[in-house]
Amino acid sequence: SNYTAAGGENITAPDGRKFFGRQIGGIPTQSGFTLDKEIFGELNFKHPVSWGPVNAILFGARYADHDNSNTTYSNAIYTNQNYTLADLQSYVLPGDLYDGLGTTGNGTPYATLGRDGIIAALKKYGNFNVDRGLSKGDYWLVNGKIVSGYVQANFESGAFRGNVGGRYVFTRDTSNFFTQSGGIYAPTRVTNDDSRFLPAANLIFQAGENVVLRGSAAKVIARARYSDLAGSLSLDDTTRTGGGGNPDLKPYAATNFGLSAEWYFAPGSFLSGEVFYRDISNYVGNQVDDNVTITNTATGRTLTYSISRPVNGGKAKVTGFSLSGNANILWGFGIQANYTFSDAETPFANGLPYLSRNVVTIVPYYQNGPIEARVSYNRRSKYFYRFGRQQSSDYTDAYRQLDASISYSINKNLQITAQAANLLDETYYQYSSTPDAPTSIYKNGRVFSIAGTARF
């Protein structure tokens, strides 16, 4: 470090102190502090009636006021001392660091510092600390007010039973974040309202003593993630580009239909199959929108930008089936299994975000007396998750995981549990368009844990 070389700067601290030096570190004093708070009230009523096959009316209402925010404060540490690499507790990464990741390429072995070396360097050479306050680029606050009311009629006639009803939902989302342009941060607030009526119906037919047939239809919604609704927005008026969150996102919305059959062939055992159809009228995906007109609150200009952000992806149709079952075999041994096949039809050839075509779960288990043990194997095929740079299609590759657990109840109040996760030591692999172009590789390793539970 040569603090007088190009890169040094004149610093004025919030308390008026002046200093010339070079920044060597920054410590978030409260990094990524997330608040998730909800205040709600709910009333539900059930009234027996005798209106032909209708035997009960249910109705109710709910109000929720939900806050979700992310707040980060930071500081910067400067030095006016000269030092070299030889003065630091540095080391070079080993050449085989990335072996075993199942990919090609080389990692350049740069000199680096461990935690203790970083702390020692900051303490020895960092002699000026500037509080930078709120990290505006990392801040968001979303307030959602939700008012809903429903009515439902239960009915039964012979071998048929079920219900029919509907729910009205009103949502007001207020997104608070900062728009950044040319180093200027401007507080931004966007409010959007959404109201929907969501009908639903379920029909059940008792086809035999141990056989049940079901049919269902419902309109459903799922709200976008809070970070997508109010991520900080960065705009460049010169290049007319930008990126960030999208406070105008509408909820995921779909009309779902399903037919299923269930056979309870023995105590604690069943087989079931379902065919389903999802008519999705809106979903959320990530892409670059080249024609977005936005008023830049940092500059006051209204321009058309090319924005990379979450967007409402339009319509899609999903058809598929699932098979599941549980067999209580003998002496406490059993097995659970599930397989789901889903085929999506979307405006894009890459499929519906986060939807795998094949998902398999197999869980052998033992449960007898104070001992419970199980092994869980899960596998899902690759799935599309976003549009990347230059409108590339980014995928997450097929992934499998093997977990296991065993617990022993010493008595009704004390239990010991041992767990092992990711026993196959799998690699989480993401790529752009082709597996030969990786974008992210995660190696989380195996995790072993033991825990005790006491109930009083």
Side-chain angles (χ1 to χ4, degrees):
S1 168
N2 182 350
Y3 72 94
T4 61
E9 54 184 317
N10 289 304
I11 305 299
T12 301
D15 61 5
R17 291 179 298 160
K18 295 184 181 297
F19 183 83
F20 183 84
R22 182 189 291 267
Q23 184 180 353
I24 61 169
I27 300 176
T29 56
Q30 193 181 72
S31 177
F33 178 76
T34 299
L35 171 70
D36 193 70
K37 178 181 70 174
E38 181 171 282
I39 300 172
F40 67 91
E42 183 174 339
L43 287 172
N44 296 285
F45 302 91
K46 182 178 181 179
H47 180 61
V49 298
S50 297
W51 301 343
V54 179
N55 54 38
I57 297 294
L58 292 78
F59 57 95
R62 188 178 194 273
Y63 173 79
D65 190 333
H66 195 115
D67 285 326
N68 183 276
S69 67
N70 184 80
T71 307
T72 298
Y73 297 93
S74 66
N75 65 357
I77 298 175
Y78 290 81
T79 185
N80 65 349
Q81 303 179 57
N82 295 324
Y83 58 90
T84 68
L85 188 62
D87 298 314
L88 305 177
Q89 300 174 22
S90 65
Y91 64 94
V92 178
L93 294 172
D96 62 352
L97 176 66
Y98 301 108
D99 289 358
L101 290 179
T103 185
T104 59
N106 296 313
T108 303
Y110 291 107
T112 188
L113 296 176
R115 182 194 63 176
D116 293 340
I118 292 172
I119 293 174
L122 293 175
K123 284 183 176 180
K124 183 175 182 179
Y125 300 108
N127 55 357
F128 191 80
N129 187 0
V130 176
D131 183 2
R132 287 186 167 175
L134 177 66
S135 178
K136 297 177 180 178
D138 298 313
Y139 171 83
W140 79 73
L141 166 63
V142 179
N143 173 259
K145 292 180 172 61
I146 304 170
V147 181
S148 63
Y150 75 93
V151 62
Q152 175 182 308
N154 293 352
F155 61 86
E156 184 170 1
S157 179
F160 290 93
R161 66 184 188 274
N163 57 66
V164 62
R167 181 184 298 270
Y168 174 80
V169 182
F170 171 80
T171 305
R172 171 166 291 173
D173 287 324
T174 302
S175 301
N176 301 273
F177 54 96
F178 283 89
T179 299
Q180 185 273 134
S181 183
I184 300 173
Y185 288 87
T188 304
R189 172 176 292 179
V190 179
T191 299
N192 281 303
D193 295 343
D194 185 85
S195 59
R196 298 171 188 257
F197 177 69
L198 305 172
N202 296 277
L203 180 62
I204 302 170
F205 176 63
Q206 193 74 39
E209 183 179 357
N210 301 315
V211 177
V212 177
L213 304 179
R214 301 177 187 268
S216 63
K219 283 185 175 293
V220 299
I221 61 171
R223 293 174 178 85
R225 294 182 299 179
Y226 294 108
S227 58
D228 287 344
L229 285 170
S232 176
L233 181 63
S234 176
L235 298 174
D236 189 323
D237 285 1
T238 302
T239 62
R240 305 286 181 90
T241 59
N246 184 358
D248 296 322
L249 286 176
K250 297 295 184 182
Y252 297 81
T255 302
N256 296 342
F257 302 92
L259 292 172
S260 66
E262 303 164 9
W263 176 34
Y264 298 89
F265 59 89
S269 303
F270 75 92
L271 287 173
S272 71
E274 180 190 15
V275 293
F276 57 82
Y277 171 73
R278 318 284 193 233
D279 187 357
I280 301 172
S281 57
N282 178 58
Y283 61 88
V284 176
N286 290 277
Q287 70 178 55
V288 177
D289 192 339
D290 292 322
N291 191 27
V292 182
T293 300
I294 296 178
T295 298
N296 187 335
T297 54
T299 64
R301 303 174 67 187
T302 300
L303 300 171
T304 299
Y305 298 86
S306 177
I307 302 290
S308 175
R309 63 178 182 176
V311 298
N312 294 121
K315 300 180 180 297
K317 301 181 187 301
V318 179
T319 56
F321 67 88
S322 67
L323 300 172
S324 61
N326 181 81
N328 188 4
I329 301 172
L330 188 66
W331 301 326
F333 289 97
I335 186 168
Q336 299 173 350
N338 175 269
Y339 169 71
T340 301
F341 170 84
S342 303
D343 181 63
E345 178 184 337
T346 72
F348 312 103
N350 33 42
L352 192 65
Y354 304 104
L355 180 69
S356 292
R357 191 176 182 87
N358 300 285
V359 178
V360 178
T361 302
I362 302 174
V363 184
Y365 65 87
Y366 174 79
Q367 185 172 348
N368 192 7
I371 300 176
E372 294 183 19
R374 63 183 54 223
V375 176
S376 176
Y377 174 81
N378 299 274
R379 186 188 186 279
R380 64 181 298 183
S381 58
K382 74 168 187 177
Y383 60 87
F384 165 73
Y385 74 99
R386 71 176 183 185
F387 289 102
R389 297 176 180 175
Q390 303 300 316
Q391 289 297 286
S392 65
S393 297
D394 287 359
Y395 293 89
T396 297
D397 205 3
Y399 184 81
R400 61 178 184 166
Q401 183 160 325
L402 182 67
D403 304 326
S405 67
I406 184 170
S407 65
Y408 178 75
S409 296
I410 300 173
N411 53 46
K412 66 179 183 179
N413 296 322
L414 298 175
Q415 184 183 64
I416 297 176
T417 302
Q419 295 180 317
N422 192 22
L423 285 169
L424 299 177
D425 197 23
E426 287 294 294
T427 300
Y428 192 75
Y429 187 91
Q430 294 181 317
Y431 60 89
S432 179
S433 297
T434 170
D436 294 332
T439 57
S440 301
I441 300 172
Y442 302 94
K443 191 77 167 178
N444 296 318
R446 301 177 178 91
V447 178
F448 302 91
S449 64
I450 187 168
T453 303
R455 297 181 179 87
F456 301 97

